[in-house]
Amino acid sequence: QVRPVESGGGLVQAGTSLRLSCLISGPTVGGYAMGWFRQAPGKEREFVASVTWSGKNTYYADSVKGRFSLSRAITKNTANLQMNSLKPEDTAVYYCATTYYGGGNSPISLDSVYDYWGQGTQVTVSS
């Protein structure tokens, strides 16, 4: 079974950077896009960023555009989310997910089409 595994979370101060990684383990068939979502306490899960199978196309939520950067390793089974200029409002549990929707050729923001989800990693940004 496809299993996304997140790492890299932690406690940081506002204005600093953090890098999250998502490693896809288990037997996989190629052609999936990867996405990052987050959920803050008392709030609904929200889209953060996604990247296509090829790694050539990315899509970001307005709230992180210009601060976060998502890249995909050439091996395709790892995606790194570089988070710069972190703000207290970025505090949340961050989840990695994969989707075969559209053959992985579109960076999807809709969480309902994602098939497999990781357990999440906590990111806390102090002011």
Side-chain angles (χ1 to χ4, degrees):
Q1 181 179 355
V2 175
R3 192 166 69 96
V5 179
E6 306 94 340
S7 62
L11 171 63
V12 297
Q13 290 189 330
T16 61
S17 300
L18 202 60
R19 190 171 89 155
L20 304 183
S21 293
C22 177
L23 172 66
I24 306 302
S25 64
T28 59
V29 176
Y32 54 89
M34 296 176 69
W36 282 94
F37 294 78
R38 66 186 182 187
Q39 187 167 21
K43 295 187 177 181
E44 293 188 354
R45 185 170 59 195
E46 65 175 1
F47 169 76
V48 176
S50 60
V51 60
T52 56
W53 166 251
S54 68
K56 294 180 180 179
N57 299 100
T58 53
Y59 181 58
Y60 299 93
D62 288 343
S63 59
V64 307
K65 201 173 294 182
R67 298 188 299 121
F68 290 13
S69 178
L70 180 59
S71 60
R72 189 160 188 169
I74 195 169
T75 56
K76 302 289 194 288
N77 66 337
T78 302
N80 297 312
L81 183 67
Q82 179 66 40
M83 306 186 295
N84 299 326
S85 303
L86 283 162
K87 305 175 181 179
E89 50 263 44
D90 293 319
T91 296
V93 177
Y94 284 70
Y95 298 92
C96 177
T98 63
T99 177
Y100 285 97
Y101 184 87
N105 294 319
S106 298
I108 301 295
S109 63
L110 188 60
D111 60 355
S112 61
V113 305
Y114 280 81
D115 309 298
Y116 300 98
W117 293 79
Q119 293 298 309
T121 185
Q122 176 70 47
V123 172
T124 303
V125 184
S126 63
S127 57

